[in-house]
Amino acid sequence: MTDALKRLSEEGVAIWLDDLSRKRITSGNLAELIDQQHVVGVTTNPSIFQKAISEGDGYDQQLSDLGARGVTVEEAIRMITTADVRDAADILRPVFDATDGQDGRVSIEVDPRLAHKTHSTVAEAKQLAWLVDRPNTLIKIPATKAGLPAITEVIGRGISVNVTLIFSLERYREVMDAYLAGLEKAKAAGLDLSKIHSVASFFVSRVDTEIDKRIDALGTDEAKAARGKVGLANARLAYEAFEEVFSSDRWAPLDKAQANKQRPLWASTGVKDKAYKDTLYVDDLVAPGTVNTMPEATLEAAADHGRITGNTIAGTYDQARKDIEAVEKLGISYDEVVQLLEDEGVDKFEKAWTDLLKSTEAELKRLAPSEG
């Protein structure tokens, strides 16, 4: 075991776990990861909850009680998921207090079926914030076109947000713009900006997976030389945009009002291609003021053999642009790929939500006590 995770933290990267389950909470595993593996936050999504609820018996008692009450399956899911997030937030509360609210955060996602509905997303975000009722919660809102004004509205109401499913540099700039607009709205309403936090979840490995698939279809040596480079390049150029926006004239008055920068969060950091080192998206995306949310396998790999050699983003921007240009010259459209990934990302979460509805409904029926 190395001290790689400790060094990663010291470089200014917040380590978050991309997973949550009741067993992880009740067994003490989450507390152990916080204590021993420098984990300072948790992210969830519909896929994570679908897996957690469908495995084991950790939810049986609550499902039985909910079934006895005859609640709808949607209400049951919200009661179950918000209970987990609330408990995880309580376990992470000391981290939240120690970091003045920056870390110690747990994310919970709005219903993905609302991804293209602005007003419904805002209403759902408000409801989730009320249901969880913990200051260290982040409400996850997808970075769709309809999600952007929702982000502004929710931030403007003083609710902290994790913006998810960001793939393109253009959309990332729109996300930062939506965040700043929300802060300006909150400031005009007299809210305390120091209490509002946000992260922007920029997806990494899925970019390489899609582009590498197209490169492999071309099959040339020139094409193969471009494999596995665009995911990192894309994320590094996102960090360049982050540095630019949060040192701009527009940011200055918000900074003066104690606003918090919206940190880039590296998501989808589990390596999908065994040809690449399993800590690629950890080792090579080190920069201050970032978050890396890792599935447990990636966290364990980074702890065991991660190579943290300081800032691995500074000085990479020119090469990153060349790496993306090289793929474009092969006839692979960056714009087409990132739009496809956004669409697929929303579809995947919608499918996971549908699966969650089905499996939860089956469990409610199985566990509901018979009367009499």
Side-chain angles (χ1 to χ4, degrees), residues 29-40:
N29 173 261
L30 178 58
E32 189 177 285
L33 291 173
I34 295 164
D35 183 52
Q36 298 179 14
Q37 301 283 52
H38 307 278
V39 168
V40 293

Side-chain angles (χ1 to χ4, degrees), residues 171-307:
R171 183 55 53 83
Y172 177 47
R173 286 186 179 275
E174 291 173 338
V175 165
M176 289 189 284
D177 182 71
Y179 176 61
L180 295 182
L183 288 177
E184 287 159 354
K185 200 167 185 174
K187 185 170 180 250
L191 299 183
D192 181 355
L193 300 193
S194 71
K195 303 295 185 189
I196 304 171
H197 287 260
S198 184
V199 294
S201 296
F202 203 88
F203 281 54
V204 188
S205 68
R206 291 189 197 180
V207 175
D208 277 336
T209 300
E210 181 60 32
I211 286 182
D212 285 357
K213 183 172 72 177
R214 297 176 184 218
I215 285 172
D216 292 346
L218 292 172
T220 66
D221 290 341
E222 181 191 10
K224 288 174 185 173
R227 285 185 103 255
K229 293 181 178 178
V230 176
L232 285 176
N234 202 33
R236 286 166 168 175
L237 292 176
Y239 191 78
E240 180 186 39
F242 160 75
E243 289 181 307
E244 180 189 311
V245 169
F246 290 99
S247 60
S248 66
D249 291 342
R250 185 181 180 188
W251 172 247
L254 294 167
D255 186 37
K256 194 174 180 182
Q258 270 78 56
N260 298 290
K261 294 177 180 178
Q262 182 187 53
R263 290 182 292 170
L265 177 150
W266 312 129
S268 180
T269 55
V271 173
K272 309 290 194 294
D273 189 328
K274 290 182 179 177
Y276 307 143
K277 60 180 179 178
D278 55 3
T279 59
L280 176 67
Y281 305 121
V282 178
D283 299 351
D284 290 6
L285 287 175
V286 178
T290 60
V291 179
N292 195 312
T293 185
M294 309 177 203
E296 189 167 25
T298 304
L299 182 75
E300 289 175 354
D304 182 63
H305 52 264
R307 288 181 52 81

Side-chain angles (χ1 to χ4, degrees), residues 5 11 15 25 29 83 205 247 249-250 325-327 334 351:
L5 295 178
E11 289 292 338
I15 299 167
I25 292 165
N29 173 261
S205 68
S247 60
D249 291 342
R250 185 181 180 188
E325 285 166 8
V327 166
Y334 168 87
K351 183 182 182 302

Side-chain angles (χ1 to χ4, degrees), residues 311-353:
N311 189 324
T312 48
I313 292 182
T316 64
Y317 304 144
D318 287 345
Q319 184 59 50
R321 271 184 276 276
K322 288 175 185 173
D323 288 341
I324 292 175
E325 285 166 8
V327 166
E328 289 268 358
K329 285 175 183 172
L330 294 170
I332 298 169
S333 168
Y334 168 87
D335 290 339
E336 182 194 329
V337 166
V338 292
Q339 185 58 56
L340 173 71
L341 290 171
E342 179 186 306
D343 295 341
E344 284 184 349
V346 173
D347 288 345
K348 283 177 183 175
F349 281 169
E350 278 190 25
K351 183 182 182 302
W353 193 263

